[in-house]
Amino acid sequence: MKILIVDDFSTMRRIIKNLLRDLGFTNTTEADDGNTALPMLRNGNFDFLITDWNMPGMSGLDLLKTVRADAKLCKLPVLMVTAESKKEQIIEAAQAGVNGYIVKPFTAATLKEKIEKIFERLNA
Amino acid sequence: MISIGELPVSDTKPKDNLLEKLKKLITHLESGDDQQALVLLDELSSGRDSYLFLELGKLTRKLHDSLTNFQLDTRLIGLANNDIPDAKERLNYVISMTEQSANRTLGAVEQSIAILDDLQDQAVQVNQNWGRFMRKELSIDEFRELTRGVTRLLETAGAQNLTVRNNLNEVLMAQEFQDLTSQIIRKVIRLVEELEVNMITLIKISGGLDKTPGAGPEASGDLSGPAVPGVSTSKASLSSQDEVDDLLSSLGF
């Protein structure tokens, strides 16, 4: 499974990448905001998108909305991993069609659980 | 030095006193009591002098306040010109120190994981062949391969043990930022406190206190960032993943 990790902080990308590798997902690619992520998504046959919300350039929410509006990408499962924890924001992300939402700081177990849940639901 | 607050303050009575004294003065003059009239005249003029002092006192107080405010203004200018840019520099330094530390730690951890993975692969290989050897399933060539495998495993384990140890030390040392960053952040907190006190005084002086300064509207379009324990914000913030999950499941997730 090919996964794109989008976060403006390289340390967070490295942490997520390492956690994913431990979960058996070794095919990961990184991008530092929505603007760099979009062309990669359009050309890369990704199976899963993990994105932060607050990033310079294009935010994770805008990336999510663009993905959902794109005929080719609209079915792509998206997991948001972000420090934004306001009720309104979570509702906004849900309405925009996010598949999972993790608030930072998070644990390896949470990441595992959410990813499993997303694929469980997609395969149901 | 006499403090200004100790100056005579009697501003309602003088009018009544003055009227009474003038009435008495007229009575004395009419009755031809020049002696008493003179005494009263003296009293009246000295009363005028104390009025003068009172006004002078008020003026001095105003001057004193203006001078104090002037000092406050220069401190605010100093805060804006030097201390705030200085604080920004310090906080930027905190960012680069924590980033550096995170990268050092991640580098050491990633290298160690790769080493352990390699060791495990080798151990699994040797273990499988060892099992086959015990069951007498190995040919002589395979047995030679096994001994080479064992030698390689023992050598790697010995050498890489040291590397992993060094990496763990690196992780340990990378935590030194905590001491320095907290000192810097504490300094900036003190600066913000000083700025706060000065701003409050400025608001009081400019008489803006009748309108209670409430929290202004939150800048729209600005994301609120990480939730910080003990810091309340106007919008409801969920403090744990469980609360986020509850909210999402209530939305049909």
Side-chain angles (χ1 to χ4, degrees):
Chain A
M1 187 164 68
K2 201 170 169 191
I3 303 176
L4 182 65
I5 305 163
V6 191
D7 198 308
D8 52 333
F9 279 94
S10 66
T11 47
M12 188 43 76
R13 293 200 301 269
R14 279 176 85 177
I15 290 170
I16 294 176
K17 194 183 155 121
N18 276 301
L19 291 174
L20 287 174
R21 197 197 46 221
D22 270 3
L23 296 176
F25 305 109
T26 48
N27 193 0
T28 52
T29 311
E30 301 174 31
D32 61 5
D33 84 322
N35 288 328
T36 42
L38 260 185
M40 294 166 94
L41 287 171
R42 287 188 171 132
N43 304 318
N45 286 320
F46 283 95
D47 305 296
F48 194 44
L49 170 64
I50 296 179
T51 181
D52 183 22
W53 183 322
N54 191 3
M55 296 178 287
M58 187 194 273
S59 76
L61 186 73
D62 288 337
L63 177 64
L64 171 64
K65 286 176 178 168
T66 315
V67 163
R68 288 289 173 261
D70 188 303
K72 241 183 88 189
L73 299 172
C74 61
K75 300 278 184 215
L76 182 73
V78 179
L79 172 65
M80 212 159 218
V81 180
T82 171
E84 306 303 329
S85 59
K86 301 274 180 250
K87 210 172 168 178
E88 287 82 350
Q89 291 172 317
I90 295 158
I91 294 171
E92 206 181 348
Q95 284 167 347
V98 82
N99 299 78
Y101 199 102
I102 295 177
V103 284
K104 293 177 188 168
F106 64 100
T107 63
T110 306
L111 185 66
K112 182 172 190 272
E113 183 198 322
K114 297 305 160 202
I115 292 177
E116 279 171 357
K117 207 171 166 193
I118 287 172
F119 286 103
E120 228 170 73
R121 207 177 292 117
L122 285 177
N123 295 327
Chain B
M1 205 176 105
I2 300 171
S3 122
I4 297 139
E6 288 168 16
L7 282 170
V9 187
S10 52
D11 31 12
T12 47
K13 292 239 171 114
K15 216 192 209 169
D16 298 344
N17 273 347
L18 195 64
L19 258 166
E20 208 167 301
K21 278 178 184 163
L22 282 172
K23 275 179 194 161
K24 270 188 188 164
L25 182 66
I26 291 166
T27 323
H28 288 314
L29 284 173
E30 278 172 353
S31 62
D33 193 345
D34 289 355
Q35 196 76 29
Q36 286 296 326
L38 270 175
V39 172
L40 266 176
L41 264 176
D42 266 354
E43 270 179 29
L44 280 169
S45 69
S46 82
R48 210 191 62 167
D49 283 349
S50 74
Y51 248 93
L52 201 68
F53 275 121
L54 193 68
E55 284 309 308
L56 194 62
K58 282 181 186 164
L59 268 175
T60 315
R61 178 183 279 281
K62 269 188 187 159
L63 181 67
H64 174 79
D65 283 351
S66 312
L67 283 174
T68 323
N69 296 348
F70 183 68
Q71 270 169 10
L72 179 82
D73 286 346
T74 55
R75 181 64 195 122
L76 275 175
I77 290 164
L79 280 170
N81 281 346
N82 306 317
D83 298 37
I84 296 289
D86 184 59
K88 281 199 282 190
E89 276 304 302
R90 285 171 196 276
L91 290 179
N92 272 325
Y93 185 53
V94 168
I95 292 178
S96 77
M97 262 202 288
T98 49
E99 188 185 358
Q100 224 172 38
S101 156
N103 281 323
R104 264 176 87 183
T105 307
L106 287 168
V109 168
E110 282 171 1
Q111 203 202 1
S112 304
I113 288 175
I115 289 169
L116 294 176
D117 284 349
D118 178 40
L119 274 176
Q120 192 179 0
D121 288 348
Q122 286 190 42
V124 166
Q125 186 79 36
V126 165
N127 196 27
Q128 277 171 1
N129 286 335
W130 185 256
R132 289 181 63 212
F133 167 71
M134 292 302 275
R135 292 192 296 275
K136 302 183 176 24
E137 291 168 8
L138 285 192
S139 70
I140 197 80
D141 283 345
E142 283 172 324
F143 178 73
R144 284 203 190 98
E145 180 54 41
L146 170 63
T147 55
R148 276 195 290 275
V150 171
T151 313
R152 212 167 36 236
L153 174 60
L154 291 175
E155 279 171 2
T156 336
Q160 302 295 52
N161 183 33
L162 199 68
T163 317
V164 173
R165 251 202 83 90
N166 286 340
N167 283 345
L168 289 176
N169 261 333
E170 179 77 1
V171 171
L172 201 77
M173 292 313 294
Q175 311 310 309
E176 68 189 353
F177 76 93
Q178 211 278 331
D179 173 33
L180 303 170
T181 52
S182 47
Q183 286 182 48
I184 292 173
I185 291 173
R186 222 171 271 139
K187 248 188 132 91
V188 175
I189 290 174
R190 273 201 294 275
L191 170 71
V192 172
E193 280 169 355
E194 195 194 344
L195 190 67
E196 185 189 17
V197 169
N198 273 302
M199 294 305 286
I200 288 173
T201 320
L202 198 66
I203 291 167
K204 275 183 186 162
I205 288 166
S206 54
L209 265 196
D210 43 347
K211 291 170 227 127
T212 318
E218 228 169 271
S220 62
D222 235 13
L223 292 169
S224 43
V228 181
V231 177
S232 69
T233 38
S234 54
K235 288 182 210 159
S237 181
L238 306 181
S239 54
S240 73
Q241 183 69 42
D242 285 345
E243 287 178 32
V244 174
D245 291 348
D246 287 348
L247 175 63
L248 284 174
S249 71
S250 77
L251 294 168
F253 267 74

